[in-house]
Every structure is written in structure tokens, then in C-alpha cells.
Amino acid sequence: AFVADEAPSFPGRVEAGDSAMLSFRVAGQLQDLKVRMGEDVPKGAVLAELDPTDYQLNVAARQAEFDLARLEAERASSLYRQKLISEDQHDMAQTLRATNEARLQQAREQLSFCKLTAPFAGAIAFTYAMPSEVVTPQQPVLNIQDTSTLEIHFNLPPRYQPLLEDEDRAAFTVMFELMPGVHLDARYKEVSMQPDPDTNSYHVTLLVDSPDNFSARPGMPASIRLHHPSTS
């Protein structure tokens, strides 16, 4: 086991593991914004809703058209079996039924787009729209950041950089000021190819599973310790 006090330490900062800009796929008036900036949300939670009235009316209209076309298609099939209408008339009725079914499906899909849901569990980083505001398709409404996995960024002096390429690669632990005495295991993700000319150090990214009952926010300072036999 490594002795933490003997390990070289570096200052770093927390970044969100993943983030997504969320927008509606249809236009409409923002009826309800259910979250605030900084709020934690589970995957699948409804975050915002458009006024669905117009889309509900469209579904009802398409449903009526489809019901009529379906009856006509069934009637045409019956008449065709009795050889009372031509094959073309029969096929036309079946095509009309299929077309109206597709329109109904599209209308239902557009209605479902009136709800904006969380693609993963995370924290709301920014809100860009207000209730009653009219939004257009793809207009940013919310930004959500995945806080289940955290990225830790820090600068590594050149003399330690070879330890990242060793077969016996260096291990890292991360500490937060708000969790004194707790050392979290970090997974190595990547290192810059060239040292930063300003700091003469390599930019390293680590991954840490967010600890239970502790919400580490992007920008929060962290302390990183490097563990390797050569440094003990």
C-alpha cells in the first residue's frame, strides 16, 4: 500500500464528466420549467414542457382522418372480395389508410416532443429560457452535466510524465477539501502530447466516480496524489 504523505501532490480542479445542451424538437410556448440551476435530476426526469394544446388538437384531427380511412379500407376490401370494385380502387383505399396512419403517428410523435427529459442523471448547469417564452426547434433551453463521473484536470511536471507510460503505470488518488481524510481512486484518462509552454507541464485528465452523499461541482478545487514505487 502507498503511504499518502510520501506521494507527490498536485493542485487540480473538477470538471463534469459529460454535458449536454437540451432543446425541444418542435416549436411552442414554454409552459413549465420544472428545474432550477444547480438542481440534481435523475435520468428520464421531465425537465420542461411546452404548451401541448396545438399538438393535441393535431393528434385528434389525424385520429379522425385515420379512423375514416380505416373504415373506407375495410369497406373496400369487402367490396373487392365481392368483385364490386376494381383492384385499383381497392389499392387506393389501402394506400390512403397507410398514409393517414403515418400522419397520425407523426402527430403523436410531435406531441411527445413537448416534454424535455434528462438523458442521464446529473445537475442542471444553466437554464436559457423562461416560462411563457416562445421557443423554436433546437433553441437551447437547458444544459445538464453528468456528475456521476467526474473529470479531474491537473498539470503534471515533466519529470513525472514518464511514469504515465510505464508498464507499471502511476496510480492516482484524489481528495477534496470538504472530505478531509478521504482518498478516492482515480482512473487515468489522457495526457496532452506536448507540455504547456507557459507552465512547462503536461495537462492530465483523470476520472473519478462521484462519491455518495457528496456533490462535487465543476470548478471545485481538488488535490491529486501520484503513487509509484519510484517515488516512495
Side-chain angles (χ1 to χ4, degrees):
F2 297 112
V3 180
D5 290 344
E6 294 178 355
S9 178
F10 313 97
R13 70 181 187 281
V14 177
E15 298 290 349
D18 193 12
S19 67
M21 196 75 75
L22 304 183
S23 56
F24 288 102
R25 294 170 67 174
V26 293
Q29 185 176 44
L30 189 58
Q31 178 174 275
D32 192 9
L33 190 62
K34 298 178 179 291
V35 290
R36 302 181 307 278
M37 281 174 53
E39 188 173 333
D40 292 312
V41 295
K43 180 179 179 179
V46 178
L47 309 178
E49 289 187 69
L50 296 179
D51 181 353
T53 307
D54 289 346
Y55 296 100
Q56 288 169 340
L57 291 171
N58 189 41
V59 168
R62 296 299 180 211
Q63 182 71 58
E65 289 172 356
F66 170 67
D67 289 344
L68 183 62
R70 183 179 57 192
L71 288 173
E72 287 295 330
E74 288 170 358
R75 179 171 169 272
S77 292
S78 176
L79 293 173
Y80 180 64
R81 282 195 298 271
Q82 299 172 57
K83 296 186 169 36
L84 295 174
I85 60 171
S86 68
E87 187 175 351
D88 284 348
Q89 288 173 301
H90 170 265
D91 291 350
M92 198 178 299
Q94 304 309 318
T95 300
L96 190 61
R97 178 194 180 281
T99 300
N100 278 284
E101 186 173 17
R103 285 176 179 165
L104 173 59
Q105 188 57 41
Q106 185 181 36
R108 286 174 175 165
E109 196 171 54
Q110 286 182 325
L111 177 60
S112 74
F113 292 157
C114 289
K115 290 186 179 183
L116 203 56
T117 57
F120 46 73
I124 303 302
F126 296 103
T127 58
Y128 301 101
M130 298 288 289
S132 299
E133 185 178 328
V134 174
V135 296
T136 56
Q138 311 309 323
Q139 177 184 331
V141 175
L142 296 163
N143 180 278
I144 184 173
Q145 294 184 331
D146 179 4
T147 51
S148 63
T149 302
L150 305 171
E151 282 194 355
I152 311 295
H153 294 232
F154 73 101
N155 293 322
L156 186 70
R159 67 193 180 102
Y160 294 110
Q161 192 270 341
L163 302 182
L164 299 178
E165 299 172 346
D166 244 11
E167 259 187 52
D168 187 18
R169 178 182 281 168
F172 295 93
T173 55
V174 175
M175 293 158 290
F176 301 106
E177 284 181 20
L178 298 177
M179 296 177 67
V182 177
H183 297 243
L184 301 173
D185 290 330
R187 304 183 296 282
Y188 169 76
K189 181 181 179 183
E190 61 188 6
V191 62
S192 58
M193 299 297 290
Q194 300 292 332
D196 185 304
D198 295 328
T199 61
N200 190 32
S201 59
Y202 289 86
H203 186 80
V204 178
T205 303
L206 306 175
L207 295 176
V208 174
D209 292 328
S210 190
D212 294 335
N213 305 318
F214 176 71
S215 186
R217 296 297 185 198
M220 184 179 286
S223 179
I224 298 94
R225 289 192 186 274
L226 181 151
H227 308 284
H228 191 269
S230 67
T231 65
S232 297

